[in-house]
Amino acid sequence: MKILVCVKRVTDPDVKIKVKPDGSGVVTDGVDFKVNPFDEIAVEEALRIKEKLGGEVVVLSIGPQEATKEIRSGLAMGADRGILVKATEQLDPFGVANVMKKIVEQENPELIIMGKQAVDGDNNQAGQILAELLGVPQACFASKVEVGQDQKTASVAREVDGGFDHVEVDLPAVITADLRLNEPRYASLPGIMKAKKKPIQEIELASLSVDTQLKVVWHKMTEPAERQAGVRVPDVATLVAKLRDEAKVL
Amino acid sequence: MGNILMIVEHKDGALKKVSLPGISFAKQYTQKTGGEVHLLVMGHNLGAVVEQAKCYGAQKVFVADHESLGAYLTETYAQVAARVAKESGAEVVGAISTSMSKDLLPRLAAKLEAGMASDILSVTDQGWFTRPVWAGNAVVEVEITTPVKVVTVRGTEFEKAPKGDPASGQVNVDVAIDMGAVKKRFVRFEEIKSDRPELTEASVIVTGGRGTKGEEGFKLVEGLADLFNAAVGATRAAVDAGWVPNDLQVGQTGKVVAPDVYFAIGVSGAIQHLAGMKGSKIIVAINKDEEAPIFSVADYGLVADLFKAVPELVEEINKARAS
Ligand SMILES: Cc1cc2nc3c(=O)[nH]c(=O)nc-3n(C[C@H](O)[C@H](O)[C@H](O)COP(=O)(O)OP(=O)(O)OC[C@H]3O[C@@H](n4cnc5c(N)ncnc54)[C@H](O)[C@@H]3O)c2cc1C
Ligand SMILES: Nc1ncnc2c1ncn2[C@@H]1O[C@H](COP(=O)(O)O)[C@@H](O)[C@H]1O
């Protein structure tokens, strides 16, 4: 079966990001870029399905030329080929989903796997919007996915408040990955070598003639007020005294 | 015009308290725009829930009560909500950020061709919204340019709506869903029961991290929580290890909490964890590594081995209360 996986190039999730002094955006100088962690999980899941049922895994990224690096890391894990839609302007999740829809129409995958959330914009929207635009079912925040032998349905356990929601979707469908869906593999050295030869198709955003007009416009950015570090207490007795006399929470 | 439609949630025949700050947000918003506050309840056998929902001073409560809505499916709920949004003249459609609204509202936004802002913190004078990005290390003002605007609202940023008069008018929604056209089936809900207060409701939270080293260590966390009738939280590391259920994860991609007191036990204080708890009023950290980043946000930091310190803390608190 053919699986399309969407990977976003994001700033290193473990770097504490700073806002530019003029509030026009965040400082990215000297910050590494990586595959959005949820999207790595999505790639891993696609590979596992392919290993079981056969087929092809296509990695799609929308972003600057540099995002070929994030596509290559998906290819190094084992995906078959990549598609880069070159876009330097800011897109909102609706615009991203519109672009993805175009690619889906060209590629006709049976399954689309994405991350639940890009850890830069923290939107958690693109997968759900894409599913609606395509008129296909969605199974978001997946912590277990099982594609039926007939490859016509998938059973998904969704991580939700209070437990797990088990659903079955007809394919094609959009699935978004949560943290505990799997543990992504590391790319092997041969995998990295092979990835260099795998094809990445580059498409200019303008050539797709999709509507990417912003429905959500970002204005001024600020840093939240820093929390003042408090005091170190030498021992438990002092801590209890503080909780009782200062914080008054006992 | 300028009405706002807030989707409220319920469980076991009761309105969920987690939805209440959403009603305050709606009132605040309509004070600026002059529109009405409308609530939407979806499900099956909603009698009691509807009566409760009517008590918060909204002008109308839209009720979609039908057996096809008995189990939550994004596709059916989005269909119904989209219709109500159109018929009620909603300029804003919203809900408190929960696992349901995060799943539902983007799909609803797509149906309404609306821009959506996730997890908003406040409304600006221009009618824009502020929201956290990059794990809360930046806050951005966003303008939604579409006629209809969809938002999820961070519950910790608004007070729980108090009960208010007069009772809301009830509008029953005609639910007509072709289930055959819905290409998804609900299979079952695997509920994880807990006797503790929910993370989003508790005034005290005790969170355990990898430092607790397992279920044994987590018992200490629970013992401390017992003293305050506190909710128990966890880091991703503790959840991944399987020591506690998934929905106890506090952080950027889990729950965002702001209790009166937050105890972080054996928690390093990663960016993603801080994103979920640094709005707490008082933060207490116990960690054996004096360099742990959690200390940079803690009001009271104790550098100690938790296996010694936590039992001692329980004992001292009991003593202090007895005296
Ligand atoms: C995409 C993504 C999303 C994420 N989302 C979240 C999220 O929502 N929430 C979240 O929490 N994390 C999240 N994480 C994970 C996060 O990056 C950290 O890995 C995690 O928070 C670490 O958990 P921890 O503090 O329990 O473990 P560690 O970082 O391993 O810290 C354990 C701490 O325990 C201390 N310790 C050890 N033994 C003792 C002892 N005997 N006594 C006292 N102290 C002791 C150590 O000094 C250490 O500081 C996410 C990561 C990614 C990539
Ligand atoms: N520019 C992009 N390129 C590829 N995939 C993306 C892009 N933006 C978002 N996605 C996908 O959509 C998911 C949700 O993103 P978001 O709605 O922005 O939080 C991500 O985890 C990715 O899988």
Side-chain angles (χ1 to χ4, degrees):
Chain A
M1 83 189 285
K2 191 198 251 189
I3 306 173
L4 183 71
V5 186
C6 303
V7 303
K8 185 175 186 190
R9 172 181 165 86
V10 299
T11 50
D12 182 342
D14 293 322
V15 168
K16 184 167 173 200
I17 216 81
K18 289 272 172 208
V19 173
K20 287 185 191 157
D22 67 357
S24 63
V26 301
V27 179
T28 53
D29 292 347
V31 178
D32 273 347
F33 283 83
K34 304 224 159 128
V35 177
N36 180 40
F38 287 101
D39 305 352
E40 257 176 8
I41 299 174
V43 173
E44 175 66 34
E45 197 62 21
L47 294 174
R48 289 186 190 186
I49 295 169
K50 178 190 151 174
E51 279 155 11
K52 236 168 148 179
L53 302 171
E56 186 186 25
V57 176
V58 183
V59 176
L60 165 66
S61 190
I62 304 160
Q65 186 70 47
E66 291 83 358
T68 45
K69 173 174 148 277
E70 282 64 40
I71 295 178
R72 289 260 178 243
S73 72
L75 300 179
M77 286 171 72
D80 299 289
R81 63 185 168 89
I83 301 173
L84 171 67
V85 176
K86 279 199 270 180
T88 44
E89 62 266 55
Q90 206 202 355
L91 299 174
D92 59 19
F94 219 117
V96 164
N98 271 326
V99 174
M100 289 172 175
K101 180 179 181 228
K102 262 282 154 74
I103 302 299
V104 169
E105 284 164 357
Q106 291 174 7
E107 293 284 334
N108 284 308
E110 276 94 32
L111 187 58
I112 300 148
I113 312 184
M114 308 169 54
K116 87 163 176 184
Q117 172 176 343
V119 297
D120 49 4
D122 282 333
N123 282 303
N124 192 339
Q125 295 179 18
Q128 297 88 316
I129 296 174
L130 176 63
E132 172 62 26
L133 296 178
L134 294 170
V136 303
Q138 72 190 51
C140 294
F141 325 146
S143 71
K144 193 170 172 31
V145 174
E146 211 141 341
V147 175
Q149 278 301 331
D150 62 0
Q151 306 191 14
K152 295 223 158 25
T153 60
S155 297
V156 180
R158 305 176 50 237
E159 252 188 51
V160 298
D161 296 341
F164 294 94
D165 182 33
H166 295 262
V167 295
E168 186 187 64
V169 288
D170 291 343
L171 302 185
V174 173
I175 292 176
T176 73
D178 213 323
L179 289 173
R180 282 161 283 273
L181 180 55
N182 59 49
E183 240 179 86
R185 70 194 68 184
Y186 289 101
S188 64
L189 201 54
I192 294 168
M193 298 310 287
K194 264 199 234 158
K196 292 189 174 145
K197 298 206 192 82
K198 290 178 180 172
I200 298 180
Q201 181 191 358
E202 294 186 6
I203 301 173
E204 295 292 337
L205 175 62
S207 75
L208 291 173
S209 54
V210 288
D211 177 11
T212 54
Q213 205 194 337
L214 293 177
K215 290 182 163 57
V216 181
V217 178
W218 284 23
H219 293 285
K220 194 174 162 53
M221 206 181 266
T222 48
E223 269 175 30
E226 280 287 334
R227 218 189 145 92
Q228 295 298 319
V231 295
R232 296 284 168 102
V233 291
D235 51 34
V236 169
T238 316
L239 174 58
V240 171
K242 295 257 183 212
L243 289 174
R244 184 187 55 206
D245 305 330
E246 249 179 50
K248 303 198 188 320
V249 294
L250 296 188
Chain B
M1 269 315 281
N3 295 340
I4 179 162
L5 179 69
M6 290 301 288
I7 298 170
V8 292
E9 295 183 36
H10 54 89
K11 186 167 179 259
D12 302 331
L15 190 70
K16 276 200 195 175
K17 287 203 194 77
V18 70
S19 292
L20 296 181
I23 304 177
S24 300
F25 155 74
K27 286 183 180 162
Q28 196 180 317
Y29 189 83
T30 50
Q31 262 162 21
K32 290 181 181 157
T33 63
E36 295 189 345
V37 174
H38 297 161
L39 306 182
L40 169 60
V41 199
M42 293 179 277
H44 189 37
N45 292 330
L46 293 175
V49 179
V50 174
E51 289 319 308
Q52 292 166 33
K54 282 178 178 172
C55 300
Y56 291 93
Q59 273 79 12
K60 289 179 189 150
V61 175
F62 288 82
V63 181
D65 189 332
H66 193 267
E67 62 178 331
S68 63
L69 300 176
Y72 169 75
L73 286 179
T74 331
E75 292 74 8
T76 54
Y77 275 51
Q79 243 183 69
V80 172
R83 214 173 53 235
V84 174
K86 284 180 189 149
E87 286 168 8
S88 66
E91 177 185 294
V92 175
V93 184
I96 289 291
S97 298
T98 61
S99 62
M100 179 177 117
S101 67
K102 288 177 188 173
D103 177 61
L104 176 64
L105 266 60
R107 186 155 190 143
L108 177 59
K111 272 191 193 295
L112 298 170
E113 291 181 41
M116 170 169 170
S118 302
D119 222 16
I120 62 160
L121 308 171
S122 69
V123 186
T124 71
D125 292 335
Q126 299 101 313
W128 300 348
F129 302 103
T130 64
R131 58 174 301 263
V133 287
W134 274 274
N137 288 311
V139 174
V140 64
E141 288 182 6
V142 299
E143 176 189 6
I144 303 181
T145 58
T146 48
V148 178
K149 300 160 179 53
V150 175
V151 294
T152 50
V153 178
R154 185 171 279 191
T156 54
E157 299 302 309
F158 295 87
E159 296 294 324
K160 288 195 177 93
K163 296 220 162 151
D165 291 325
S168 318
Q170 178 172 343
V171 183
N172 291 324
V173 179
D174 185 20
V175 180
I177 294 167
D178 176 6
M179 290 304 282
V182 178
K183 291 169 244 159
K184 175 159 138 193
R185 286 148 311 271
F186 169 75
V187 178
R188 75 194 155 93
F189 192 74
E190 186 184 330
E191 189 172 357
I192 295 166
K193 289 230 190 258
S194 160
D195 300 332
R196 291 189 181 279
E198 285 195 33
L199 272 173
T200 45
E201 315 240 312
S203 55
V204 179
I205 293 175
V206 185
T207 282
R210 196 184 336 247
T212 62
K213 300 202 170 65
E215 281 166 37
E216 271 314 298
F218 238 88
K219 290 239 167 68
L220 299 176
V221 167
E222 288 177 5
L224 180 58
D226 286 340
L227 295 185
F228 295 94
N229 188 29
V232 166
T235 63
R236 175 191 176 180
V239 176
D240 282 2
W243 304 335
V244 288
N246 300 0
D247 67 344
L248 297 191
Q249 180 179 309
V250 171
Q252 179 189 15
T253 62
K255 292 223 164 57
V256 177
V257 297
D260 294 339
V261 191
Y262 188 93
F263 290 92
I265 312 290
V267 170
S268 63
I271 288 172
Q272 294 87 357
H273 188 75
L274 298 182
M277 45 66 77
K278 65 182 178 190
S280 306
K281 286 209 190 79
I282 292 172
I283 297 173
V284 180
I286 300 179
N287 194 306
K288 70 174 181 192
D289 171 11
E290 61 177 288
E291 307 271 306
I294 190 73
F295 288 124
S296 71
V297 299
D299 298 281
Y300 306 121
L302 176 63
V303 180
D305 182 342
L306 72 90
F307 291 93
K308 257 191 84 223
V310 176
E312 215 178 305
L313 181 58
V314 169
E315 198 184 311
E316 291 289 327
I317 289 173
N318 279 330
K319 264 199 231 155
R321 281 180 174 169
S323 67

